[in-house]
């Protein structure tokens, strides 16, 4: 059995290496590659993806996983070995159901769809996307149907990203949250808008970058095992546990973009950097779900990075970095500016309170499209109506309406959005638990000390990688199950204080 287990690890190491090689190609494409490299790079990335897929669905791998079943059962559930076999089997069983020719057809389609979207969105041309999106929806249904026995057709797609969640469980959770968020957003909207003009002065590039790097270094991002580069749409990527990179972008006329995206991506990266080295080269050396991953980026970006205590420490330094822009701006005013709540058109620019309403709208549309109760033809109009109902403002066009997010145009329809709100909910639940264990965490922040919080997250979440599912992680870390209470309390306390009601 030990021999077979070693063989399994060798095979998984190769699959992991191929994935990481693909990640290097993708990172280079999104950062330094000149436009002329595009065609060859697409071919190279497809080849690596195909090789990884072949190795991941090799019948010999399936046989090995079968042979190791009794070995797995003889080991404790939470041992590295049993966890590795369990998680590898889950991945294998998922991938092997999708025929490789269908997978290849889908990748080709998705790449064409993405290319078209990059032109259709600025041109506000939904008609151009419509046939492509219809094909994407067909693929999405097809993929879901490879996993029969579901309750809702979106369930298998949700499962890909947030294992264990279903349309029904997400729906229930979102309905509960919505009931609390809508009155909160309403109450805030009766107050005068916060003034964020102090963030919109001229902020030179290099100083923004340096300040962001200084902050995340202090939060615990390890530059010996990572680096930061510039891109169009910030992301985190990993080539090994010793090389976890982040990217950012800079707007010289808006301070909020670079700084908070840097903290956000460093949150994703600290999760990956915190995985135990023993899990390297296996499918366990990844964050466990979209929701848990997003909980880490949002925890550092919002709960820490937009908190009063954090800025009590960092604001004097920010002021001395930008004396002309912020020298006369009081901390109170800066704090209000970075926490401005405003109903707006774009999800990625939304504040903490209204953000989840953007996600819920998309999630509901995904379910309706997959069910067939809404057609792609009627989607722009449906978007328009629902948006006006939820936000009280109408998107002026499709560019900032149904075309705004890349997800449906570069990947499947379904399973893409729920993770963002699950992440928000979990961020507050984990943070509350960390403070319960170490009540000094909020005061530590005023002194620029983040190591206690970082250590709690590492101990309870990061180190395990994918050994445990999201719900197991929540259970182990909080002694309970997923709950909206800490998140609702966090938002209500923070914003009722900020807006004085
Ligand atoms: Zn994120």
């Amino acid at each position: 059995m030990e021999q077979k287990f070693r063989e399994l690890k060798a095979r998984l190491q190769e699959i992991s290496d191929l994935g990481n090689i693909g990640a290097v190609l993708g990172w280079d494409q999104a950062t330094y590659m000149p436009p002329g490299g595009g065609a060859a790079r697409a071919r190279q990335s497809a080849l690596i993806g195909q090789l990884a897929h072949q190795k991941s669905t090799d019948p010999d791998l399936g046989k090995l996983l079968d042979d190791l079943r009794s070995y797995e059962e003889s080991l404790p559930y939470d041992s590295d070995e049993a966890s590795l076999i369990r998680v590898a089997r889950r991945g294998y069983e998922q991938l092997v159901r999708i025929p490789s020719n269908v997978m290849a057809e889908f990748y080709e389609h998705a790449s064409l769809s993405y290319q078209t979207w990059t032109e259709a969105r600025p041109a506000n041309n939904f008609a151009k996307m419509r046939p492509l999106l219809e094909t994407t929806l067909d693929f999405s249904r097809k993929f879901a149907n490879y996993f029969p026995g579901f309750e809702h057709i979106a369930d298998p797609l949700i499962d890909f990203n947030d294992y264990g969640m279903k349309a029904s469980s997400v729906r229930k959770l979102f309905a509960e949250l919505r009931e609390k968020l809508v009155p909160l957003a309403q109450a805030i909207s009766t107050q005068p808008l916060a003034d964020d003009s102090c963030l919109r002065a001229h902020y030179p590039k290099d100083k923004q970058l340096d300040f962001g790097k200084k902050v995340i270094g202090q939060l615990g991002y390890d530059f010996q095992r990572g680096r930061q580069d510039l891109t169009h749409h910030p992301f985190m990527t990993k080539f090994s546990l010793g090389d976890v990179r982040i990217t950012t972008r800079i707007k010289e006329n808006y301070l909020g973009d670079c700084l908070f995206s840097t903290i956000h991506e460093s949150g994703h990266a600290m999760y990956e950097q915190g995985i135990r080295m023993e899990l390297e080269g296996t499918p366990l050396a990844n964050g466990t779900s979209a929701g848990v991953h997003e909980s880490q980026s949002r925890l550092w970006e919002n709960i820490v990075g937009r908190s009063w205590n954090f800025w009590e420490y960092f604001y004097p330094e920010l002021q001395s970095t930008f004396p002309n822009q912020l020298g006369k701006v009081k901390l109170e005013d800066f704090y209000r500016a970075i926490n401005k709540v405003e109903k707006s058109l774009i999800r990625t620019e939304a504040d903490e309170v209204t953000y989840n309403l953007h996600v819920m709208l998309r999630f509901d549309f995904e379910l309706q499209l997959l069910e067939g109760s809404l057609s792609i033809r009627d989607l722009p109009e449906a978007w328009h109506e629902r948006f006006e109902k939820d936000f009280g403002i109408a998107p002026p066009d499709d560019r900032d309406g149904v075309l705004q997010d890349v997800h449906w145009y570069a990947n499947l329809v379904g399973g893409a959005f729920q993770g963002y709100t699950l992440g928000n909910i979990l961020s507050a639940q984990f943070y509350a638990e960390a403070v319960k264990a170490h009540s000094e965490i909020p005061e530590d922040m005023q002194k620029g000390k983040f190591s206690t919080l970082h250590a709690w997250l590492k101990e309870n979440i990061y180190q395990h990688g994918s050994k445990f599912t999201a719900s197991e992680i929540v259970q182990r870390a909080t002694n309970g199950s997923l709950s909206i209470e800490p998140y609702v309390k966090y938002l209500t306390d923070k914003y009722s204080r900020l807006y004085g009601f």
Side-chain angles (χ1 to χ4, degrees):
M1 278 300 173
E2 273 81 18
Q3 169 61 30
K4 292 204 170 184
F5 186 73
R6 272 197 299 276
E7 194 190 331
L8 175 71
K9 282 190 81 168
R11 282 174 176 270
L12 295 174
Q13 175 78 68
E14 283 186 355
I15 294 168
S16 157
D17 282 343
L18 284 169
N20 290 330
I21 291 165
V24 179
L25 296 180
W27 168 84
D28 175 65
Q29 184 169 14
T31 50
Y32 296 106
M33 191 189 80
R41 182 55 48 87
R43 193 184 61 238
Q44 292 154 356
S45 295
L47 174 63
I48 294 289
Q50 210 181 337
L51 290 173
H53 187 263
Q54 274 166 13
K55 284 197 184 286
S56 304
T57 55
D58 186 336
D60 290 345
L61 175 62
K63 169 90 173 53
L64 204 50
L65 287 163
D66 273 344
D67 292 348
L68 283 164
R69 211 176 275 271
S70 60
Y71 181 60
E72 179 195 349
E73 280 159 9
S74 74
L75 297 163
Y77 180 86
D78 61 357
S79 65
D80 286 354
E81 292 81 2
S83 302
L84 179 58
I85 299 168
R86 182 173 68 242
V87 172
R89 182 181 297 115
R90 192 195 301 150
Y92 174 80
E93 285 173 356
Q94 217 163 39
L95 278 179
V96 84
R97 287 188 187 219
I98 303 169
S100 56
N101 63 318
V102 177
M103 199 78 168
E105 279 166 30
F106 175 66
Y107 280 138
E108 206 182 316
H109 165 74
S111 151
L112 173 68
S113 172
Y114 173 72
Q115 275 310 321
T116 314
W117 175 78
T118 57
E119 292 151 25
R121 188 187 173 210
N124 188 37
N125 190 348
F126 182 77
K128 199 171 173 187
M129 287 316 298
R130 212 184 93 192
L132 289 159
L133 189 56
E134 279 165 352
T135 305
T136 303
L137 182 59
D138 290 342
F139 269 114
S140 307
R141 290 207 185 99
K142 198 172 190 172
F143 276 41
N145 281 310
Y146 289 129
F147 302 85
F150 48 71
E151 199 178 277
H152 189 285
I153 186 167
D155 289 355
L157 308 179
I158 294 172
D159 221 52
F160 289 160
N161 297 317
D162 287 294
Y163 178 75
M165 296 300 287
K166 286 175 169 185
S168 59
S169 51
V170 176
R171 240 179 198 157
K172 184 166 168 284
L173 200 68
F174 283 11
E176 285 170 22
L177 183 59
R178 191 182 176 83
E179 210 170 284
K180 308 283 182 186
L181 281 180
V182 171
L184 181 62
Q186 217 84 55
I188 294 170
S189 68
T190 63
Q191 306 291 318
L193 269 187
D195 174 10
D196 66 350
S197 56
C198 65
L199 304 176
R200 296 177 189 280
H202 179 78
Y203 288 94
K205 256 185 176 170
D206 292 348
K207 285 189 173 184
Q208 284 200 50
L209 265 183
D210 289 346
F211 186 80
K213 281 187 184 170
K214 160 111 214 310
V215 168
I216 62 172
Q218 210 157 328
L219 298 180
Y221 177 72
D222 181 358
F223 279 96
Q224 293 303 310
R225 297 193 292 135
R227 55 175 285 132
Q228 186 184 48
D229 296 273
L230 294 178
T231 191
H232 292 294
H233 299 279
F235 62 93
M236 181 273 309
T237 186
K238 181 182 65 176
F239 310 148
S240 71
L241 291 178
D243 190 352
V244 185
R245 303 191 186 187
I246 56 174
T247 57
T248 190
R249 68 176 166 208
I250 307 167
K251 289 183 185 157
E252 287 204 303
N253 58 0
Y254 181 57
L255 181 64
D257 207 41
C258 173
L259 178 60
F260 290 107
S261 96
T262 298
I263 301 176
H264 181 100
E265 298 308 330
S266 81
H268 284 300
M270 286 189 277
Y271 185 1
E272 299 279 339
Q273 287 184 334
I275 295 171
R276 273 173 45 235
M277 277 298 179
E278 291 84 345
L279 307 181
E280 175 79 301
T282 77
L284 300 181
N286 294 300
T288 192
S289 73
V292 174
H293 232 300
E294 195 67 7
S295 78
Q296 295 316 301
S297 54
R298 302 291 278 182
L299 188 155
W300 288 105
E301 177 196 354
N302 288 333
I303 300 183
V304 174
R306 291 182 206 268
S307 72
W308 176 264
N309 288 6
F310 176 93
W311 285 107
E312 261 193 319
Y313 176 77
F314 275 114
Y315 192 59
E317 198 169 330
L318 186 68
Q319 277 183 309
S320 63
T321 308
F322 301 109
N324 298 331
Q325 299 88 333
L326 292 171
K328 294 198 178 77
V329 178
K330 285 190 297 204
L331 173 58
E332 288 77 8
D333 296 327
F334 177 77
Y335 178 65
R336 283 179 73 82
I338 59 168
N339 288 295
K340 179 182 183 179
V341 175
E342 184 180 22
K343 289 179 177 172
S344 61
L345 296 171
I346 309 292
R347 175 185 62 87
T348 55
E349 293 167 8
D351 57 81
E352 284 183 276
V353 179
T354 58
Y355 184 90
N356 299 295
L357 300 175
H358 289 271
V359 174
M360 290 171 187
L361 172 148
R362 288 153 178 78
F363 179 75
D364 288 345
F365 282 145
E366 287 188 331
L367 298 193
Q368 291 168 21
L369 289 168
L370 287 163
E371 286 164 7
S373 57
L374 174 67
S375 70
I376 299 286
R377 176 194 295 272
D378 297 332
L379 180 62
E381 190 50 39
W383 183 291
H384 210 83
E385 263 173 42
R386 166 82 184 259
F387 200 88
E388 202 162 356
K389 199 172 125 232
D390 281 10
F391 292 84
I393 43 175
D397 52 28
D398 293 332
R399 195 174 67 96
D400 288 340
V402 67
L403 287 172
Q404 74 175 261
D405 286 304
V406 65
H407 306 60
W408 295 339
Y409 305 104
N411 212 318
L412 298 171
V413 172
F417 285 104
Q418 76 286 332
Y420 293 112
T421 288
L422 293 175
N424 284 332
I425 296 169
L426 284 170
S427 69
Q429 202 173 349
F430 289 138
Y431 182 75
E433 206 59 35
V435 174
K436 217 186 275 174
H438 303 281
S439 59
E440 71 276 22
I441 285 175
E443 286 79 50
D444 275 359
M445 277 192 226
Q446 293 170 314
K447 298 174 222 144
K449 180 178 178 233
F450 303 93
S451 52
T452 312
L453 175 59
H454 189 273
W456 187 92
L457 294 167
K458 187 170 178 183
E459 171 70 22
N460 289 280
I461 301 163
Y462 301 171
Q463 63 153 332
H464 302 302
S466 302
K467 268 181 77 167
F468 304 112
T469 65
S471 64
E472 287 168 348
I473 285 279
V474 174
Q475 186 64 43
R476 293 170 63 100
T478 71
N479 263 315
S481 52
L482 179 66
S483 158
I484 64 164
E485 297 313 322
Y487 184 52
V488 170
K489 184 174 182 328
Y490 159 73
L491 287 179
T492 310
D493 287 355
K494 177 172 175 179
Y495 288 93
S496 61
R497 207 167 297 151
L498 246 166
Y499 283 87
F501 55 79

